[in-house]
Amino acid sequence: MEPQQCQSSRAEEQSREDILKLGTCRRESSSAGGRAKSSEDIRCKCLCPPYRNASGHIYTRNVSQKDCTCLHVVQPMPVPGSDVEAYCLLCECKYEERSTTTIKVIIIIYLSVVGALLLYMAFLVLVDPLLRKPDAYSQPLHSQEENEEARSLAAAPLVPGGRANTVLERVEGVQQRWKRQVQEQRRTVFDRHKMLS
């Protein structure tokens, strides 16, 4: 009976060790995934000008800040071994850190606002005219304004150049129409005031 207990306890210990190993592997893989994710946010950028036969080029790699040098980033080296040091002295390497999560959130917010504005514009163009009914009072006012515009355009002298409606002339026409409306309003107000008193 004791040998069976011994074998079962060994089997339990073996299964515990397997579970611990599995847990350790999972932690290591998740921390490696975290490192890979954060490597998107860091990079070293080397700007190398033209040198002898080699043309200018921009090199980028995901390396740590201490490894942000020409020797670690510029690969393959475009110059032979004797000129590597001189070439690296010309290169300017900068360590850059950014937050891709913040960038993604800002882009999502921006696209959401633009999408909402496009939906609102579509609503105004397509649905709003169907919902609004023409107002019986505003219809005669619009026709009066259109008649006044037609009269003012007919009364405007034609320019010899052929352009009768320049922007300046349109503004003057609107200004004259506004002045006439103000004068008519004054007359009606004074007439009503005289009638009431």
Side-chain angles (χ1 to χ4, degrees), residues 8-186:
S8 65
S9 64
R10 284 184 192 151
E12 288 175 7
E13 286 178 25
Q14 185 66 30
S15 65
R16 285 181 195 156
E17 288 177 15
D18 290 341
I19 291 173
L20 288 175
K21 286 179 186 176
L22 182 62
T24 306
C25 288
R26 283 185 183 167
R27 273 188 247 124
E28 287 174 3
S29 65
S30 65
S31 64
R35 276 188 236 121
K37 187 177 181 184
S38 67
S39 70
E40 294 173 355
D41 296 341
I42 59 170
R43 70 178 181 178
C44 184
K45 183 177 177 182
C46 289
L47 301 166
C48 298
Y51 180 78
R52 294 190 185 170
N53 313 9
S55 62
H57 198 69
I58 299 172
Y59 299 92
T60 55
R61 285 196 67 197
N62 293 337
V63 294
S64 64
Q65 190 169 8
K66 67 178 182 170
D67 293 334
C68 186
T69 61
C70 173
L71 295 173
H72 290 99
V73 175
V74 178
Q75 290 178 359
M77 193 62 71
V79 293
S82 59
D83 289 338
V84 169
E85 191 173 326
Y87 183 72
C88 281
L89 288 175
L90 295 174
C91 292
E92 182 182 335
C93 294
K94 289 183 181 177
Y95 180 75
E96 297 175 346
E97 205 170 328
R98 63 185 180 181
S99 174
T100 52
T101 306
T102 305
I103 294 169
K104 288 175 186 175
V105 167
I106 289 173
I107 288 173
I108 289 170
I109 291 171
Y110 176 77
L111 291 176
S112 300
V113 169
V114 169
L117 290 174
L118 287 173
L119 284 174
Y120 182 64
M121 185 183 76
F123 171 78
L124 289 178
V125 169
L126 302 174
V127 178
D128 197 38
L130 299 174
L131 296 178
R132 291 183 185 257
K133 295 177 183 173
D135 191 13
Y137 176 73
S138 66
Q139 199 72 2
L141 289 178
H142 289 301
S143 62
Q144 284 178 354
E145 287 177 6
E146 290 170 2
N147 290 338
E148 287 179 13
E149 284 179 20
R151 275 188 253 134
S152 66
L153 289 176
L158 289 175
V159 179
R163 285 189 72 189
N165 276 339
T166 63
V167 175
L168 201 57
E169 290 174 348
R170 289 183 206 156
V171 170
E172 287 176 1
V174 170
Q175 188 179 23
Q176 293 298 326
R177 194 171 357 124
W178 178 75
K179 285 181 181 178
R180 278 183 286 195
Q181 285 177 351
V182 169
Q183 288 174 352
E184 288 178 28
Q185 287 175 358
R186 283 184 185 157

